[in-house]
Amino acid sequence: MCGITGWVNFDMDLSLQNEIIEKMTDTLKKRGPDGSGIWLSKHCALGHRRLIVIDPEGGSQPMIKKYGEKNFVIIHNGELYNMDELKNELISLGYTFKTRSDTEIILTSYIEWGPLCVKKFNGIFAFAIWDEVQNRLFIARDHLGIKPLFYTIKNGALIFGSEIKAILAHPHVKPEIDSQGLAEIFVMGPSRTPGCGVFKDIKELKAGHYLIFTKNGANISKYWSLQSLPHEDDLGKTGEKIRYLLKDSSVRQLVSDVPLCSLLSGGLDSTAVSFFANEELKQKGQKLITYSVDYVGNDKYFTPNEFQPNSDADWVKFVANKLDTNHNYVFIDNEELAHALKPALYARDLPGMADIDSSLYLFLKEVKKGATVALSGEGADEVFGGYPWFRNKEAIESHTFPWIRMVNERMKLLLPEVVKCIRPIEYLNDRYNEALNEVPKLNGEDPYNARMRKMFYLNITRFMPMLLDRMDRMSMAVGFEARVPFLDYRLVEYVWNIPWEMKNLNGREKGILRYALKGYIPEEVIERKKSPYPKTHNPVFKNIVKEWLKQIIDDSTSPLLQLVDKKAIAELIETDAKAYDPAWFSQLMGSPQLFAYLVQINMWLKDYKISIV
């Protein structure tokens, strides 16, 4: 787990090369607190920050392999979960290895198979290889985009980084935002259109893609995507295959030379991952360490709603006892939660999910004291259909993203000229239709199943990336690695083609997953109604962010005032933003999160010194 950055220019000014790459690399030191390295050549500069997880002695980067007189140089962020199989295959082809590192396996795979090496990888990765034989840069990102990679092309140079901040540290790149970026923030936000970096001219390398940069420019290729095929397995075989793939993924992801744990909410997904991990560790005479999160005072203020039907606290205790894990409770202070909005913003480089981000940041900061790697249940809801909108007739039939709500109401908070500039409904419809046009169709599929297939595609490719961004940035901001067994691409490929009637078995969210886990995890957890990531219900948080927003609109120098209608924001504060409860975005973002999101936008514009162009 690391941070990577660099640039390629075939007309490179070598005089400032070292100074610039050091500055870019230094922006990623939280991603890699354990070491750093740079590599320079006539056309290429690469920088790396390292978080040690595997092979402390041999895994330093940039890593170089010689091919005659030529170099292959790699910087890598991620983990390979099939490295043993790949290593054996490469040894059989005559290669030798100096380290136990998966980085060397990736580099050697590229030397042997070229760009299509990525098709052989099972893991989470973003990496760059400078190939002196072909005189080109090769960058690639994992199948589902679990590890981030951004880039821009300026003055004939390709500049890239794990995070946007690394790119902004290059002197050719200015922190600017145009109408598209504003639409991403105010219409799509806190989600983001795949490929869009929000900042002007900054792009994201999409999941399942690689990019080759030569003297002739950039060439992008897709190496993986979902394929729609008939599902041939009966119910019993389907459950067995899901269980096998989830167990195999969970066990593979236990590889680590540093302390490892699991994030446990007492729900179906985290319990399943924790169960398979714990069973494997027991065979080695070890016990799984688990962590859960809650908020000071939540027991007093929690009230159920359609999105959050129950609290996690009792369930966590029940599951930890049943699985016999070494459990640890983390409680977050609400005042601290508000103040962590700033480091959460810096981690994302963009306004995000408000306290849903800052709480994860504080939670993992505490977990880091006892572990460096965690397994999580992230991704199960998108892959298996866990969200309320999968069973809501209005959401299914609506012609938009079901998690983006109240757009017209929110536009009233902006200045009319801003609304005219971003064309909110047109922009939203364009992004929605773009997504639908990508959906791989299944010949002969009935209209209802075809519609549900579209719903799953929207969730996997448009909603899930926001949560993967959150998990990656908040974990890496505290030098921590989060793994996601439910997003092994083999499991995602298999579940994608299971028809809705089977996914929705017994009319339950994630019904097929519940069926697959029967007899393995406690029956009470299998029957538990889905509850999302816990958020604070304590009014302390809302009162703090509301007061901050009031201070922002009372300060004439606040950059937010370039964009919002001051009178409308004052009215929002006066009415406590109750019109935006229980959720104006996803399941979790109501009135407190609207205040916090606006606060983060102002902080972002100010601290990143952003020009609106």
Side-chain angles (χ1 to χ4, degrees):
M1 282 302 117
C2 309
I4 66 172
T5 189
W7 84 97
V8 172
N9 190 338
F10 292 97
D11 188 22
M12 180 86 77
D13 177 0
L14 300 177
S15 63
L16 295 174
Q17 188 190 44
N18 189 72
E19 182 185 328
I20 293 169
I21 194 63
E22 284 194 350
K23 188 178 176 188
M24 291 171 70
T25 306
D26 197 47
T27 66
L28 301 172
K29 62 186 175 186
K30 288 184 178 176
R31 288 187 78 88
D34 299 330
S36 67
I38 61 171
W39 184 85
L40 307 172
S41 73
K42 186 178 176 184
H43 301 309
C44 179
L46 301 176
H48 186 265
R49 291 289 319 195
R50 187 181 184 202
L51 173 67
I52 294 173
V53 172
I54 293 173
D55 193 6
E57 299 302 319
S60 296
Q61 299 179 46
M63 185 178 285
I64 303 166
K65 275 205 169 214
K66 287 276 188 186
Y67 186 87
E69 293 299 308
K70 302 289 188 180
N71 290 311
F72 290 92
V73 189
I74 185 171
I75 47 174
H76 165 225
N77 168 29
E79 303 289 353
L80 277 192
Y81 301 131
N82 64 335
M83 66 179 191
D84 290 343
E85 297 98 313
L86 277 173
K87 189 172 186 177
N88 289 336
E89 185 177 355
L90 289 162
I91 288 170
S92 74
L93 292 169
Y95 290 94
T96 57
F97 291 86
K98 294 177 181 176
T99 73
R100 293 188 296 109
S101 162
D102 53 355
T103 302
E104 188 177 3
I105 293 167
I106 292 174
L107 184 55
T108 310
S109 297
Y110 173 82
I111 293 168
E112 173 62 25
W113 295 300
L116 292 181
C117 65
V118 287
K119 285 177 167 282
K120 288 182 164 282
F121 300 155
N122 179 347
I124 55 178
F125 55 82
F127 63 87
I129 294 174
W130 175 246
D131 176 346
E132 280 190 347
V133 174
Q134 303 282 348
N135 210 29
R136 69 186 184 186
L137 183 77
F138 176 75
I139 62 174
R141 195 164 174 224
D142 63 64
H143 302 69
L144 286 148
I146 295 158
K147 289 286 112 183
L149 194 54
F150 296 91
Y151 71 95
T152 189
I153 297 174
K154 290 279 188 181
N155 305 334
L158 182 131
I159 305 161
F160 68 92
S162 295
E163 295 177 6
I164 292 169
K165 58 175 65 68
I167 297 171
L168 293 173
H170 193 286
H172 287 172
V173 185
K174 294 182 174 65
E176 297 176 334
I177 185 170
D178 57 14
S179 59
Q180 182 188 13
L182 289 173
E184 288 288 319
I185 293 293
F186 287 111
V187 181
M188 309 303 291
S191 63
R192 189 165 48 79
T193 302
C196 176
V198 181
F199 287 86
K200 187 174 184 290
D201 296 330
I202 292 181
K203 296 179 172 65
E204 172 189 54
L205 185 63
K206 291 181 185 178
H209 284 67
Y210 64 78
L211 181 153
I212 295 172
F213 188 71
T214 67
K215 281 183 178 177
N216 299 321
N219 193 346
I220 298 171
S221 301
K222 181 192 285 187
Y223 70 85
W224 181 85
S225 60
L226 291 163
Q227 304 294 317
S228 293
L229 302 164
H231 183 72
E232 307 287 359
D233 295 342
D234 62 17
L235 180 63
K237 192 169 182 185
T238 299
E240 188 181 316
K241 188 83 179 276
I242 288 168
R243 194 166 54 247
Y244 164 77
L245 287 168
L246 182 57
K247 178 182 178 181
D248 184 66
S249 176
S250 300
V251 169
R252 281 177 183 272
Q253 297 191 24
L254 290 172
V255 59
S256 176
D257 289 336
V258 293
L260 176 143
C261 67
S262 176
L263 308 180
L264 182 66
S265 70
L268 184 72
D269 313 331
S270 65
T271 300
V273 167
S274 298
F275 169 79
F276 288 124
N278 201 32
E279 289 298 294
E280 179 71 12
L281 290 174
K282 276 182 189 173
Q283 293 177 26
K284 300 174 182 176
Q286 301 169 26
K287 185 188 278 197
L288 181 67
I289 303 165
T290 51
Y291 286 85
S292 63
V293 64
D294 208 341
Y295 303 84
V296 174
N298 246 17
D299 52 339
K300 295 180 194 170
Y301 296 104
F302 176 78
T303 51
N305 62 46
E306 62 171 315
F307 295 126
Q308 201 136 18
N310 48 55
S311 174
D312 285 347
D314 293 337
W315 288 97
V316 166
K317 186 176 181 182
F318 171 77
V319 172
N321 286 338
K322 280 281 187 181
L323 299 189
D324 188 27
T325 69
N326 182 356
H327 190 71
N328 303 269
Y329 295 90
V330 175
F331 288 91
I332 293 172
D333 175 80
N334 286 273
E335 195 168 330
E336 195 180 357
L337 181 66
H339 287 280
L341 288 170
K342 181 171 273 197
L345 168 73
Y346 293 167
R348 240 192 222 266
D349 292 317
L350 295 166
M353 297 183 75
D355 58 307
I356 316 305
D357 282 358
S358 63
S359 62
L360 185 61
Y361 170 82
L362 292 171
F363 175 36
L364 296 180
K365 190 177 181 183
E366 198 62 31
V367 176
K368 171 72 175 177
K369 294 174 183 176
T372 302
V373 178
L375 304 186
S376 85
E378 198 78 80
D381 288 316
E382 292 84 359
V383 173
F384 285 92
Y387 295 120
W389 47 75
F390 281 102
R391 268 157 298 280
N392 180 299
K393 187 173 185 289
E394 186 182 341
I396 293 166
E397 293 175 355
S398 72
H399 297 291
T400 190
F401 302 104
W403 51 87
I404 296 179
R405 303 188 189 90
M406 304 182 72
V407 174
N408 287 326
E409 291 87 341
R410 286 189 278 128
M411 289 307 105
K412 291 171 185 172
L413 302 175
L414 303 182
L415 292 168
E417 56 267 33
V418 175
V419 177
K420 186 179 177 183
C421 171
I422 65 178
R423 305 172 299 110
I425 302 305
E426 190 179 341
Y427 190 85
L428 183 62
N429 290 342
D430 286 350
R431 300 293 78 76
Y432 180 70
N433 290 325
E434 259 174 23
L436 289 189
N437 288 337
E438 295 170 10
V439 180
K441 295 178 177 59
L442 179 63
N443 290 335
E445 190 167 47
D446 66 81
Y448 188 73
N449 268 294
R451 176 60 194 166
M452 293 310 295
R453 188 179 291 275
K454 289 174 182 174
M455 283 286 283
F456 275 93
Y457 190 85
L458 294 175
N459 278 267
I460 290 169
T461 66
R462 297 310 194 269
F463 188 74
M464 188 170 77
M466 173 187 65
L467 298 177
L468 292 177
D469 278 357
R470 169 180 174 259
M471 184 60 84
D472 173 83
R473 302 312 183 278
M474 299 310 126
S475 61
M476 296 306 290
V478 296
F480 190 86
E481 177 188 333
R483 296 178 179 172
V484 282
F486 276 102
L487 297 183
D488 183 307
Y489 78 91
R490 300 168 304 157
L491 179 59
V492 176
E493 283 178 343
Y494 183 73
V495 178
W496 167 252
N497 284 310
I498 299 173
W500 171 244
E501 291 83 358
M502 197 182 283
K503 281 178 181 161
N504 197 41
L505 192 66
N506 300 321
R508 291 297 308 274
E509 69 275 8
K510 297 179 284 196
I512 188 62
L513 180 60
R514 295 174 193 275
Y515 172 81
L517 294 169
K518 271 188 179 292
Y520 289 83
I521 68 172
E523 185 68 21
E524 294 90 338
V525 176
I526 287 173
E527 294 303 320
R528 182 189 176 190
K529 189 168 174 58
K530 177 193 160 42
S531 191
Y533 179 85
K535 69 174 183 179
T536 184
H537 298 271
N538 191 321
V540 167
F541 174 78
K542 183 176 182 178
N543 292 338
I544 291 171
V545 291
K546 184 168 70 170
E547 178 57 32
W548 286 350
L549 185 59
K550 187 174 184 303
Q551 291 169 14
I552 287 166
I553 64 164
D554 287 343
D555 178 356
S556 61
T557 66
S558 297
L560 185 66
L561 295 177
Q562 302 171 77
L563 302 169
V564 300
D565 182 323
K566 184 175 176 179
K567 189 177 175 184
I569 300 295
E571 190 178 327
L572 185 78
I573 293 166
E574 186 67 30
T575 59
D576 213 31
K578 284 181 179 171
Y580 293 88
D581 287 325
W584 55 270
F585 183 93
S586 82
Q587 313 166 79
L588 294 172
M589 298 189 71
S591 57
Q593 290 72 36
L594 182 57
F595 290 139
Y597 189 61
L598 290 167
V599 167
Q600 277 197 321
I601 292 172
N602 186 74
M603 202 184 287
W604 178 62
L605 293 167
K606 186 177 181 180
D607 292 3
Y608 281 69
K609 298 180 173 60
I610 294 168
S611 302
I612 299 169
V613 295

